Every structure is written in structure tokens, then in C-alpha cells.
Amino acid sequence: MTSTVPAAASLNKFEKFKAEKDGLAIKAELEHFAQIGWEAMDETDRDHRLKWVGVFFRPVTPGKFMVRMRMPNGVVTSGQMRVLAGVVQRYGEDGSADVTTRQNIQLRGIRIEDIPDIFNQFEEAGLTSVQSGMDNVRNITGSPVAGIDADELIDTRGLCRKVQDMITNNGEGNPSFTNLPRKFNIAIAGCRDNSVHAEINDIAFVPAYKNDTLGFNVLVGGFFSAKRCAAAVPMNVWVDPRDVVALCEAILIVYRNHGLRANRQKARLMWLIDEWGMDRFRQEVEQQLGYALQTAAPKDEIVWDKRDHVGIHAQKQPGLNYVGLHVPVGRLYAADMFDLARIAEVYGSGELRLTVEQNIIIPNVPDSRLAPLLNEPLLNRFSINPTPLVRSLVSCTGAQFCNFALIETKNRALAMARELDQELYCSRPVRIHWTGCPNSCGQPQVADIGLMGTKTRKDGKAVDGVDLYMGGKVGKEAELGECVRKGIPCDDLKPILRELLIQNFGATSRTEGAIASPANLASSLQITSDNA
Ligand code: SRM
Ligand code: SF4
């Protein structure tokens, strides 16, 4: 299969370098790069094409790369977690990892000279980082409690894996899908609470009954970018679960062949749908498939508020529980990862799950093993009962490692949530999402309170600031929030948040003595290298 791309003259610089050499070609050159080192590499290979194998040059920390994995449905075994921990451990203070907003793991501090060895370890462990960056399909998200949720409708694990295998040729790399016009997101919800944020994916499958058969209604075109954010719209299609992979493949081929490539700010799937209209888009997909699609079921089964899965929950298997650990802003160090692997084996079945809230679930813990699990020292930091604002906090990478960032996010977000939790009593979690720039990786538009990094002025000086987003709704009837106030200096933010929490979310000021419990405070993370 080859892609239909416009003539070279109309191509932007990304299209030009992709036309010169496919990003996946880099796979054969990794040994060579390891020998010559990052400084001698061709800049386009180093800064861009390496992302086709999930290796990201970090201009903020040159020579210390980030590796973005693929974790379909956010499932990881203890053995795999140990391999990832071992990789991070190699780099001492430089090594860390993050659970991402796509139910995935990124590793930091990586040296290019070690990539061939690391990739061998990945292969032996059944892991891959292929096609996880640039104009590729990102990690396929699915219900984090698939197979163990008492109320689940469809177990999404196998589907996420099959979609990934189709896109990546079982992890080998698949040139059919390495030259998309832009990045692409796919989510498959099998639950009633939309735990994957279906509305912000280029393709989302949400459970729906058609004539008593359980399948999925399909939404398309959801995305965030600096230029525009759009919620996914119904494609008016219902599919049987057996047809999910074929539909993803057909949509990707249509997008690859016809997606707009001249302007990268207008290249995501929604722009093509806008240009064509949904009827033509649907027809083109049907033509690619070779058969007519069924129309959507009248309603879907997303009828619950969104759960965060933190805490202890009974599974559908009698006597077993899943335990959601809160990982403050998703940051992990090698010791944590080894500990998580051990805990999953000692108390569960040797499996871990990741969530889009950047947390970790230990499934399959028998009733009799709950008490000793709760005594594990790691649970003092990765709490099952964190304070309300820390509990629902999400943050993108920010200035610590990301060169797009306009502000530092993770440390700042955590410090502010901890302080506000001490000052206020919140009767329910309020979802605060921080993102370091308008790319919106931290999804401020889905939050109760979204904070997007910007530069603003205070006392005549340029200072770190945020644009404030409100109104994001998740779960059933999800809606995107909107910017309600621009350019708040970060130094002035805390009293504004305090007031918002009191006025809009029913928070009350804590009286003296009624502060957060020491156990909860201890669960907050200090993002410093002494956690390594
Ligand atoms: Fe993102 C680019 C981090 C989820 C929208 N994102 C980046 C880069 C690769 C930029 C860079 O090269 O530095 C960031 C890497 C920083 C680093 O060192 O970690 C980055 N994005 C992230 C992560 C790690 C945020 C996090 O802390 O969790 C998430 C990784 C997900 C994964 O595992 O694959 C991440 N990014 C998202 C999401 C949220 C989602 O998918 O639900 C979005 C908005 C949804 C969407 O894409 O429609 C998102 N990232 C972007 C964009 C804007 C895309 C656009 O169409 O304009 C960029 C910039 C770009 O692609 O040009 C971007
Ligand atoms: Fe970087 Fe901006 Fe994405 Fe945050 S939102 S990770 S600062 S690109």
C-alpha cells in the first residue's frame, strides 16, 4: 500500500522530510546511531525520525532521550514493569518515568548508545515503542478495568491489542501507517463511564446495543491542538466488535490517502471531515471496506459519571479486588517501578493497569491479601485515599522536559493542590488539569478547572501564567470546557483557585486543627531526584 500525497511544491517541511525518507527507515540505523552518538547524528533523524521508533530527542536535556512505549489498554505485566524499571535505573538521577494521559508509560534519561540493547530487552519482554510519536497512531486506550469490572459491557483488552497489532504489524513496524498526515488517536470504551475520554479521540468506540447485539457506536474527529479543539462527532455507524479492526484500518487508509497535508495546523482527521461532510466521509470509508456499514444504534450505553478507579473495588470475580493507587501527577522512579512489580506479584496476579488519570491499578487482589497490601510502605506515597484535589490532579510534562512548554507544570500543580487541600475542605474531588502550552496534552478542556500555560505580564515584567478553562464534563454527556479567563500570573493563581473552589465547587475553608491528615499529606510526591 502506498499513500497518495500532494506534489512536493505544496508540502510543508514535515511532509518533505517524510517523503525523502520514511521515519520507520530509522529502525535499521539504530546500531549506527549508537556508535556515532547523538551529537554526530543528522538533525532530522535525531529530532524527528527517531520518534517513529518512540525515541524523542529532548532539547531541554540534550543527549538524554525520552522513550514513549505502547501499552494497549494500559495493561502491563510485572515482568514488563521490571524491564522498564531496569532501563530507568541505569540512568541514576537522570532516570524517571511518567504514566501519561494516554494510559501509557514514557521513560526518561535514555542514552542513544543504549537503544539497541534496550530494544532487545523490549522485544524479549513483549514490549514495543514503535510508531508512538509524530505522524503515527498513538497508544490505543481502553477501559482500565476491562475484564474485571462487574458492570462492564465489552472487554476491550483484545480489541486494543488487535488494533495495535494491525497498525504496527505486531510491533515490527508497518509502513502502511507511518506516513499519516498527522498524529491520530483511537479509544475503545467497554464500560458505562467513558473511562477513555472517547470525545477527544480521532476514532472512539462506545458500547451500544443494536437489535439486542452488543457492539459499538463510532465517533470520529475529536482532537485538541493549539489552533482548534473539537469534540468527536457521531459517524452514524454501529459495528460488531469483530469489525472494529477492519473499520480502524479503513478509516486510517482514507485519512492517509486523502487527509490534508499542506498545513499541519489543519491536518487532523476533523479537518477532512469538515471539508467532505460526514456523508461523503462515511461513503469513502465504506468504499474502502467494500461493504455498507450499519447505521448507529439510537443510543449508547455511556450512562454513568466517570470513575477514577482509585481505592479498593470488588471485581466481577468473587473474592477478588482491584486496588487503584494514586500516582501524583504520574511520576515514577526506578525504585517505585520495581516495588510496583513486586506488589503486583505478591498480592495480585502479576499484572498492572494504567489509567488516563496517570494512575496505576493492581488487579486480582484476594480479599485476604488486602490488609497486608495496605501496609506496604509504597502506599504512603501512592495512596488509595489521597486528599480530594491531589486525587484528581492531572498534569502534562511541562518545562522540566518539554521544549514546547511555556511554564513548569508537574511540580507547580502538585504543590498548589497540596496547599489548597490543606486550606480547604472539598467534599468531592474537583478535577484540575494542568497543561504547559496550547497543545493540551494535559487535557485542560476535559477538566472541572483547566489551566493552560502561557506567558503574561505582571508589574511590567513577563511572567509565567495560565489561561483558565472551566466547564469540562466527563463520563456520560461529556463536554469540552472553554477558556473563561486569560493570562493569570501563576503567582496570583492560588487565591483565584481558592475562591473558585469555594464559589463553584462547594469547598469550605478549614477551621484550625481540621487540616488534611498526615497520611494523606504523605501521599503527595516530591518530584526530586532523591526519589530515584
Ligand atoms: Fe502530547 C506533542 C507529551 C498526550 C496533544 N506531547 C507532545 C510532545 C511529544 C512534544 C515534544 O516533542 O516535546 C510532548 C512530549 C513531552 C515529554 O517529554 O513528555 C507530549 N502528550 C504528551 C504526554 C506525555 C502528556 C502527559 O504528561 O501525559 C501524553 C503522551 C500520550 C501518549 O502516551 O502517547 C500526551 N498530547 C496528548 C494529548 C491527550 C490525549 O491524547 O488524550 C493531546 C491532545 C489530544 C489530541 O492529540 O488530539 C496531545 N501533543 C499534542 C499536540 C497537539 C496535536 C495537534 O494536533 O496539534 C502536540 C504537538 C504536535 O503534535 O505537533 C503534542
Ligand atoms: Fe509539552 Fe505542551 Fe504537551 Fe505539555 S502540553 S507536554 S508543555 S507539548
Side-chain angles (χ1 to χ4, degrees):
M1 268 184 283
T2 51
S3 58
T4 310
V5 293
S10 64
L11 298 181
N12 64 56
K13 81 164 185 176
F14 291 84
E15 289 300 326
K16 278 191 183 134
F17 80 67
K18 288 192 293 176
E20 278 162 28
K21 172 169 136 188
D22 188 86
L24 200 59
I26 226 74
K27 205 181 158 198
E29 297 175 64
L30 296 175
E31 289 282 357
H32 173 62
F33 297 152
Q35 277 161 19
I36 63 172
W38 68 272
E39 280 158 307
M41 282 180 69
D42 168 79
E43 269 188 30
T44 309
D45 285 347
R46 186 192 68 194
D47 298 358
H48 300 299
R49 292 198 187 94
L50 270 181
K51 292 178 182 170
W52 266 258
V53 290
V55 178
F56 290 59
F57 180 69
R58 299 291 73 202
V60 180
T61 56
K64 299 167 193 170
F65 289 78
M66 180 269 278
V67 172
R68 178 184 285 168
M69 306 305 299
R70 301 194 74 94
M71 298 279 173
N73 210 128
V75 179
V76 52
T77 67
S78 53
Q80 291 172 333
M81 185 60 98
R82 242 181 232 114
V83 168
L84 300 175
V87 170
V88 167
Q89 192 182 38
R90 278 190 192 198
Y91 302 105
E93 291 207 340
D94 291 336
S96 65
D98 288 306
V99 182
T100 77
T101 52
R102 286 204 72 78
Q103 207 177 27
N104 192 11
I105 289 188
Q106 293 187 167
L107 311 174
R108 297 190 187 279
I110 316 296
R111 308 283 173 161
I112 195 77
E113 46 271 36
D114 300 331
I115 285 290
D117 174 48
I118 290 172
F119 277 19
N120 285 338
Q121 290 186 42
F122 286 173
E123 199 171 344
E124 277 172 28
L127 289 165
T128 184
S129 59
V130 77
Q131 292 168 233
S132 60
M134 283 297 292
D135 297 349
N136 287 289
V137 183
R138 299 290 183 272
N139 193 44
I140 317 296
T141 55
S143 167
V145 288
I148 57 178
D149 178 4
D151 294 289
E152 105 174 325
L153 296 161
I154 301 174
D155 183 343
T156 52
R157 290 172 296 177
L159 286 172
C160 290
R161 164 60 69 179
K162 281 182 195 151
V163 172
Q164 168 166 312
D165 286 348
M166 176 271 291
I167 289 163
T168 65
N169 182 24
N170 303 309
E172 287 297 302
N174 183 354
S176 295
F177 298 119
T178 49
N179 187 2
L180 299 175
R182 207 59 168 86
K183 70 183 290 195
F184 199 93
N185 291 326
I186 301 177
I188 309 178
C191 48
R192 297 174 194 272
D193 72 333
N194 184 12
S195 56
V196 292
H197 295 309
E199 68 284 3
I200 62 171
N201 283 266
D202 296 271
I203 311 179
F205 295 89
V206 295
Y209 283 98
K210 182 125 198 216
N211 305 329
D212 295 332
T213 306
L214 190 51
F216 299 99
N217 277 348
V218 184
L219 308 172
V220 283
F223 79 112
F224 295 160
S225 75
K227 188 175 172 67
R228 173 183 173 195
C229 295
V233 288
M235 192 182 167
N236 190 19
V237 166
W238 177 91
V239 278
D240 186 282
R242 286 170 298 192
D243 297 328
V244 162
V245 178
L247 181 60
C248 286
E249 187 173 21
I251 292 176
L252 282 169
I253 292 171
V254 168
Y255 176 57
R256 180 197 68 192
N257 291 351
H258 302 282
L260 314 181
R261 289 176 187 259
N263 176 354
R264 279 182 77 77
Q265 297 305 318
K266 294 190 172 180
R268 296 289 293 268
L269 180 67
M270 186 61 108
W271 293 97
L272 178 66
I273 296 170
D274 282 352
E275 185 161 301
W276 278 357
M278 189 59 86
D279 287 347
R280 171 161 177 210
F281 176 70
R282 203 173 178 282
Q283 281 161 18
E284 296 275 353
V285 173
E286 285 180 331
Q287 200 176 334
Q288 179 60 42
L289 272 170
Y291 56 83
L293 288 159
Q294 297 194 49
T295 54
K299 67 174 185 68
D300 64 44
E301 298 300 319
I302 303 286
V303 290
W304 284 6
D305 289 338
K306 193 167 185 317
R307 299 166 292 177
D308 67 6
H309 304 296
V310 172
I312 301 170
H313 306 269
Q315 290 183 194
K316 76 170 161 199
Q317 296 81 3
L320 292 181
N321 307 273
Y322 67 85
V323 180
L325 306 185
H326 177 259
V327 181
V329 289
R331 176 60 47 85
L332 299 169
Y333 294 93
D336 304 327
M337 295 159 82
F338 281 121
D339 231 11
L340 284 163
R342 178 186 60 78
I343 285 171
E345 281 169 6
V346 170
Y347 303 98
S349 56
E351 188 184 298
L352 302 117
R353 306 279 181 97
L354 311 167
T355 74
V356 296
E357 287 83 15
Q358 304 176 313
N359 295 322
I360 291 184
I361 295 169
I362 313 279
N364 302 322
V365 182
D367 294 340
S368 61
R369 305 293 288 152
L370 282 173
L373 167 57
L374 300 188
N375 278 329
E376 282 283 344
L378 187 70
L379 271 68
N380 290 328
R381 287 183 39 245
F382 294 175
S383 172
I384 59 158
N385 187 24
T387 51
L389 298 178
V390 168
R391 177 178 185 135
S392 306
L393 191 64
V394 167
S395 172
C396 84
T397 305
Q400 192 182 7
F401 298 111
C402 179
N403 56 304
F404 286 118
L406 298 169
I407 62 166
E408 200 285 318
T409 50
K410 288 206 186 230
N411 277 304
R412 185 176 253 145
L414 195 53
M416 203 164 291
R418 291 167 70 187
E419 284 172 30
L420 287 165
D421 265 333
Q422 284 183 66
E423 292 174 22
L424 296 173
Y425 172 75
C426 296
S427 56
R428 65 176 179 94
V430 180
R431 296 173 307 100
I432 302 181
H433 285 223
W434 286 71
T435 208
C437 80
N439 283 329
S440 299
C441 305
Q443 311 152 326
Q445 303 83 350
V446 307
D448 292 316
I449 300 176
L451 301 164
M452 180 186 289
T454 186
K455 290 292 178 203
T456 186
R457 295 194 82 73
K458 185 178 179 185
D459 303 330
K461 287 193 197 128
V463 293
D464 285 2
V466 289
D467 293 341
L468 173 68
Y469 283 69
M470 300 277 295
K473 278 204 236 149
V474 292
K476 65 176 178 190
E477 291 153 20
E479 270 174 36
L480 301 186
E482 297 205 336
C483 183
V484 294
R485 188 164 162 187
K486 281 186 164 288
I488 304 169
C490 287
D491 287 350
D492 299 343
L493 182 60
K494 201 173 101 181
I496 293 173
L497 288 184
R498 202 173 185 282
E499 205 45 36
L500 260 182
L501 288 162
I502 292 170
Q503 296 297 335
N504 296 40
F505 298 95
T508 48
S509 192
R510 284 183 187 272
T511 51
E512 235 175 56
I515 54 164
S517 77
N520 286 342
L521 289 179
S523 76
S524 300
L525 168 85
Q526 283 158 16
I527 301 179
T528 55
S529 53
D530 60 13
N531 282 309

